[in-house]
Amino acid sequence: MKKLLLLIATASLFIACNNNQTNAKGDESITTVSRIDDSYTKAIKEDIMEAYAKNDFTKFDELVSDTAKVYFNSTTPINKKEWRELAQSHHVYFDSINWDKNFMFVKTDSLIKDEKHENNTLKTGNIYTLVWYTWKGVGKSTHTKIANSGSIVFRWANNKITSARFTFDPTPLVNEIAAANSAKK
């Protein structure tokens, strides 16, 4: 009788475990896989962000598509060449350019399911690297210490950046350029 009860208990355990496995489903609302240590995130951190701070654009052409569209607080894009020139010009107006490590977060999202956002649908397979940052520098003309927060969304295709959207307060840059031009007169 003990053996029969043991056999029934063991069989019940296997059936219960098997039922839980067949009824378990993944969360179908999950549409994105996020990473902070992948090759895209690393490329943005090291070859775009840190390299920019050092005025080093050696990997820029390799990482950015020739047809990339880049937006700076605008709906009107600039091209790859204009983006590079604009980034390099920051070093004309500012010293000590760096990213505040305490206020910088970079992650890459890969869409595993279409996402609908109001009138826009982001498609499965799209890859985006998102950056939240505080940019720091010292104006060469005004000697003002700047700490400017913002965000960037990079879109990838075929391991190249195909678009970038920068959002930040342009006032410190505009003020420094005006001061530099005023000093030239």
Side-chain angles (χ1 to χ4, degrees):
M1 183 67 161
K2 285 183 180 180
K3 288 183 181 179
L4 181 61
L5 287 174
L6 185 59
L7 183 61
I8 292 171
T10 304
S12 297
L13 181 62
F14 283 120
I15 292 170
C17 288
N18 191 32
N19 283 342
N20 285 342
Q21 287 179 343
T22 57
N23 291 333
K25 290 183 180 178
D27 185 345
E28 293 182 13
S29 67
I30 296 174
T31 60
T32 304
V33 173
S34 296
R35 299 172 311 276
I36 59 170
D37 59 356
D38 63 300
S39 62
Y40 298 107
T41 302
K42 182 180 176 188
I44 293 299
K45 280 182 179 177
E46 295 174 8
D47 301 327
I48 296 294
M49 308 290 288
E50 290 174 16
Y52 154 81
K54 296 174 188 171
N55 203 14
D56 174 7
F57 291 84
T58 54
K59 297 269 186 157
F60 184 86
D61 288 331
E62 179 183 322
L63 289 172
V64 179
S65 166
D66 290 338
T67 58
K69 293 183 178 176
V70 182
Y71 303 84
F72 284 92
N73 294 331
S74 173
T75 57
T76 305
I78 63 174
N79 63 36
K80 175 182 177 175
K81 181 180 180 232
E82 293 167 321
W83 176 17
R84 182 181 183 147
E85 290 170 354
L86 182 62
Q88 289 172 320
S89 77
H90 293 171
H91 293 273
V92 171
Y93 300 105
F94 294 94
D95 284 322
S96 304
I97 292 174
N98 68 85
W99 305 100
D100 187 332
K101 300 294 183 195
N102 294 318
F103 295 98
M104 184 167 157
F105 180 73
V106 183
K107 74 169 185 154
T108 297
D109 289 345
S110 298
L111 275 61
I112 58 173
K113 187 176 177 184
D114 287 358
E115 285 185 5
K116 293 185 180 185
H117 299 273
E118 296 178 11
N119 296 329
N120 191 21
T121 300
L122 303 177
K123 295 292 188 181
T124 301
N126 284 349
I127 299 171
Y128 300 91
T129 299
L130 306 126
V131 180
W132 294 268
Y133 65 84
T134 296
W135 178 97
K136 295 174 107 180
V138 178
K140 287 185 178 182
S141 294
T142 65
H143 307 290
T144 303
K145 290 182 180 180
I146 308 293
N148 197 2
S149 296
S151 63
I152 313 166
V153 178
F154 295 97
R155 182 174 182 206
W156 296 87
N158 300 318
N159 294 317
K160 292 212 177 245
I161 297 167
T162 58
S163 70
R165 292 188 180 271
F166 291 76
T167 306
F168 60 95
D169 180 1
T171 306
L173 178 61
V174 170
N175 289 345
E176 196 61 37
I177 292 170
N181 289 338
S182 203
K184 289 178 185 176
K185 292 179 181 180

